[in-house]
Amino acid sequence: MWLLYLGACVILLFQALRWKTGTDWNPYLIEFLNVNKSGRVDEFEPGYVFLNSIIRHITDKYTVFLLFECGLNICFIIFFLRKMPIRNKSLGLLYFFAIAVFPIRFTLASNMILCSYVYILEKKIVPFIAIVICASMIHRTAIAFLPMYFICQYKFSFKILMIIYIGAMVLGALAEYTFGNLLQIAAATYGFAGSAVQTKMDAYVTGEIPDRLQMTPIRYLMSMVNSTFFILLFYYFKRKYFSSNAVYGLLFTLYVLGISFNRIFLQTIPDIARMTSFFTGGFIIMIIMIISSLKRKFQILATIAVISYIFLSYNSSINGYYKNLFNPYYSVFSGNVHRIMY
């Protein structure tokens, strides 16, 4: 367990002591510096504004806020990992770090949602609703997870889950033709909201898809192959080793439903499709559970393979489309930093 906490401290310092490194640096810095000024209109959700306001009342040092925010983020991850029936919790921590190297408010909301899985398992609706509502106060899209408490009370058969998955792929393939009018209706439903909310929702549901997010036929096919492979892999081990394991069963159900949600919106609204992360937090937990079911020599090989996968995910994060914002890494100790941020 000491390795988990040591790793958490190292990750916290790496994330919180950065300076002008990572995406969306300027908007978050400006929000923090100006959060308590009267007469301004906040562009972020009230919960996130509240967190900024608390620290801003104490200090004007943005690094202090990053320590607070990243610390909260890691606390939610550790709470989730400690509740999961896995031995190698450090591997889980490493995975969550690699897929979100520098947390933003969406990351914080996603990791709060992870904690709500526990209350689905324990059938405690009040703390579940409280966590989801709090997460939606950090990033409004988290409210989409609210129905999952009730949906997951039903024990889906693999056949039903596959029907949902295949149906989602078909609907997603036809999305360009079927969603046109639906998107216009969706745009009309939030007309009562403030200008900041309307601007963000317009970007979510009616904005053009950037070239970097366009799904070419090859990318789309590879994405389908990847998700289908993991669904079948998880199901195989579910039948073989975890048929009566409630944790594995819940994580598998959420994973399939989340991937199905992703397939519907992937080609039309990528910003909505990323909400998949609310549902698929159990991916690494199922992987670790699978590893634990293998013979000793295969456990070592499988662990090395997972660590390699995590390293590739990390490398993809920092050397992707925004690599100029990640490389080189600057810290608060780097002196004068000259980098164009946005």
Side-chain angles (χ1 to χ4, degrees):
M1 192 64 72
W2 66 268
L3 189 59
L4 174 66
Y5 291 109
L6 176 61
C9 290
V10 172
I11 290 172
L12 173 60
L13 294 177
F14 178 77
Q15 292 176 334
L17 296 182
R18 74 186 190 272
W19 191 256
K20 290 189 176 181
T21 301
T23 58
D24 293 333
W25 177 268
N26 283 347
Y28 287 116
L29 176 60
I30 292 171
E31 172 66 22
F32 173 74
L33 294 176
N34 300 301
V35 66
N36 292 327
K37 290 185 177 179
S38 60
R40 69 184 300 269
V41 177
D42 287 298
E43 296 184 0
F44 298 110
E45 290 81 356
Y48 191 73
V49 172
F50 178 68
L51 295 181
N52 277 267
S53 182
I54 291 174
I55 304 303
R56 188 66 180 85
H57 273 296
I58 300 171
T59 179
D60 62 353
K61 303 299 183 184
Y62 187 51
T63 298
V64 176
F65 175 74
L66 288 179
L67 283 165
F68 175 67
E69 180 185 26
C70 296
L72 276 179
N73 191 63
I74 289 177
C75 284
F76 289 129
I77 293 173
I78 290 178
F79 174 85
F80 173 66
L81 291 173
R82 291 199 59 176
K83 290 290 186 177
M84 293 295 103
I86 55 173
R87 296 180 62 185
N88 196 347
K89 300 181 190 300
S90 299
L91 190 60
L93 177 65
L94 190 63
Y95 169 81
F96 286 116
F97 163 69
I99 61 174
V101 178
F102 298 122
I104 53 178
R105 75 188 201 285
F106 181 81
T107 315
L108 182 58
S110 295
N111 290 327
M112 291 175 72
I113 292 296
L114 285 180
C115 299
S116 74
Y117 293 10
V118 174
Y119 299 113
I120 296 177
L121 285 164
E122 296 177 353
K123 292 182 169 56
K124 295 180 178 178
I125 187 171
V126 173
F128 171 84
I129 292 176
I131 286 181
V132 174
I133 290 177
C134 286
S136 69
M137 298 292 279
I138 301 297
H139 199 284
R140 57 181 56 87
T141 57
I143 199 67
F145 195 75
L146 192 59
M148 297 314 298
Y149 179 89
F150 307 98
I151 293 173
C152 290
Q153 302 308 312
Y154 177 78
K155 304 300 181 184
F156 292 91
S157 67
F158 181 66
K159 180 179 179 180
I160 295 298
L161 288 173
M162 287 306 294
I163 289 173
I164 292 172
Y165 176 62
I166 293 171
M169 287 195 293
V170 172
L171 186 58
L174 300 175
E176 183 177 351
Y177 305 100
T178 58
F179 280 3
N181 293 328
L182 290 178
L183 292 180
Q184 295 301 320
I185 294 173
T189 61
Y190 54 82
F192 64 90
S195 59
V197 174
Q198 290 187 40
T199 299
K200 289 183 177 294
M201 292 304 295
D202 283 336
Y204 283 142
V205 303
T206 63
E208 292 294 326
I209 300 176
D211 290 339
R212 65 185 175 86
L213 294 179
Q214 292 283 355
M215 293 297 290
T216 64
I218 295 298
R219 287 181 63 188
Y220 189 72
L221 178 61
M222 292 301 295
S223 176
M224 292 297 180
V225 170
N226 178 71
S227 60
T228 303
F229 167 77
F230 279 110
I231 287 174
L232 295 178
L233 175 72
F234 291 146
Y235 178 65
Y236 170 79
F237 280 92
K238 182 177 185 294
R239 286 193 62 187
K240 191 172 180 65
Y241 298 106
F242 305 111
S243 58
S244 59
N245 189 301
V247 174
Y248 193 99
L250 172 67
L251 298 180
F252 178 70
T253 297
L254 287 173
Y255 182 80
V256 177
L257 295 178
I259 292 297
S260 300
F261 179 87
N262 178 274
R263 294 307 160 214
I264 294 174
F265 296 103
L266 184 61
Q267 296 192 88
T268 53
I269 322 176
D271 279 325
I272 295 294
R274 71 173 180 160
M275 290 162 55
T276 304
S277 63
F278 296 145
F279 303 83
T280 56
F283 173 86
I284 189 61
I285 305 301
M286 289 188 287
I287 291 292
I288 295 173
M289 291 177 73
I290 287 172
I291 291 175
S292 68
S293 70
L294 303 176
K295 294 182 179 179
R296 181 64 180 174
K297 61 179 180 180
F298 293 117
Q299 286 185 17
I300 296 173
L301 292 174
T303 301
I304 293 173
V306 172
I307 292 173
S308 299
Y309 173 81
I310 291 173
F311 174 78
L312 291 175
S313 297
Y314 171 78
N315 186 67
S316 176
S317 296
I318 65 172
N319 292 304
Y321 184 78
Y322 293 112
K323 63 181 179 181
N324 61 308
L325 300 180
F326 289 89
N327 297 304
Y329 172 86
Y330 293 123
S331 77
V332 292
F333 308 109
S334 297
N336 293 327
V337 174
H338 300 285
R339 174 183 276 162
I340 299 175
M341 302 300 297
Y342 45 88

